[in-house]
Amino acid sequence: MSEASDYDLSMLIRALVMESNQFLDIFSAAHELHPTDMTALNLIMTARSPMTPGSLAKALNLSASATTSVLDRLERAGHVGRDRSPDDRRRVELRVFTTATALTATFFQPLAREFAAVWQDLSPEDRQVVARFLTTTTAATARVRAAVTSPTTG
């Protein structure tokens, strides 16, 4: 592609998102997970610090009761546990079981290997451009999502 317009880039991102969603749908269906459950599992797995049900509800933009339903399903499926914080017994922290981590790793490893294969010829400079593009595009998406889910009153 010699020149990529804003529209071209938007369509490429859309195609990637659609392909990724279809890939996730395969995993979700194989393990009887609702798409929201899959999103929740991913959020809990990738959180930098232990997630609480409240922080998960906020991240999913769900009510407390709907989040409890998601967690109940994930717990019944053997993917997630709810534990009392060792620092504050009033606080509940979410934990992904090692079996769920292993299950997702097994499923996603072929994709990671394919990514590595197609990226191997990228120069360090190209990788920096791609990383900056993905970071800024993700941030722009998050800003618009936040504006759509919490419109300012005026």
Side-chain angles (χ1 to χ4, degrees), residues 15 24 28 35 39 56 59 63 82 84-85 98 101 120 136 143:
L24 289 173
S28 296
T39 301
L56 180 63
S63 67
R82 291 175 258 206
R84 294 284 172 195
S85 169
T98 54
T101 303
Q120 72 181 354
T136 59
R143 284 191 302 276

Side-chain angles (χ1 to χ4, degrees), residues 9-20:
L9 292 175
S10 292
M11 290 301 102
L12 289 168
I13 289 290
R14 184 178 293 178
L16 175 60
V17 167
M18 296 299 292
E19 219 29 75
S20 295

Side-chain angles (χ1 to χ4, degrees), residues 6-85:
D6 288 349
Y7 178 81
D8 294 332
L9 292 175
S10 292
M11 290 301 102
L12 289 168
I13 289 290
R14 184 178 293 178
L16 175 60
V17 167
M18 296 299 292
E19 219 29 75
S20 295
N21 287 343
Q22 289 176 336
F23 190 77
L24 289 173
D25 287 348
I26 293 168
F27 181 86
S28 296
H31 301 286
E32 300 178 5
L33 292 173
H34 184 277
T36 303
D37 300 352
M38 185 64 207
T39 301
L41 183 59
N42 183 53
L43 286 167
I44 299 164
M45 288 178 103
T46 59
R48 292 201 164 114
S49 60
M51 227 176 190
T52 66
S55 62
L56 180 63
K58 184 175 180 179
L60 292 172
N61 197 31
L62 292 177
S63 67
S65 62
T67 303
T68 297
S69 295
V70 169
L71 290 171
D72 288 346
R73 288 191 302 267
L74 288 172
E75 202 166 39
R76 276 193 307 273
H79 299 309
V80 171
R82 291 175 258 206
D83 301 321
R84 294 284 172 195
S85 169

Side-chain angles (χ1 to χ4, degrees), residues 135-152:
T135 300
T136 59
T137 301
T138 301
T141 304
R143 284 191 302 276
V144 172
R145 175 181 49 81
V148 169
T149 56
S150 335
T152 58

Side-chain angles (χ1 to χ4, degrees), residues 78-126:
H79 299 309
V80 171
R82 291 175 258 206
D83 301 321
R84 294 284 172 195
S85 169
D87 301 325
D88 180 351
R89 300 294 297 157
R90 296 168 296 176
R91 178 181 159 100
V92 173
E93 296 179 343
L94 306 174
R95 174 175 52 93
V96 175
F97 295 132
T98 54
T99 53
T101 303
L103 183 70
T104 57
T106 299
F107 184 81
F108 289 97
Q109 280 174 351
L111 182 60
R113 284 192 297 273
E114 188 66 19
F115 283 164
V118 299
W119 295 338
Q120 72 181 354
D121 293 333
L122 292 176
S123 69
E125 294 79 16
D126 287 342

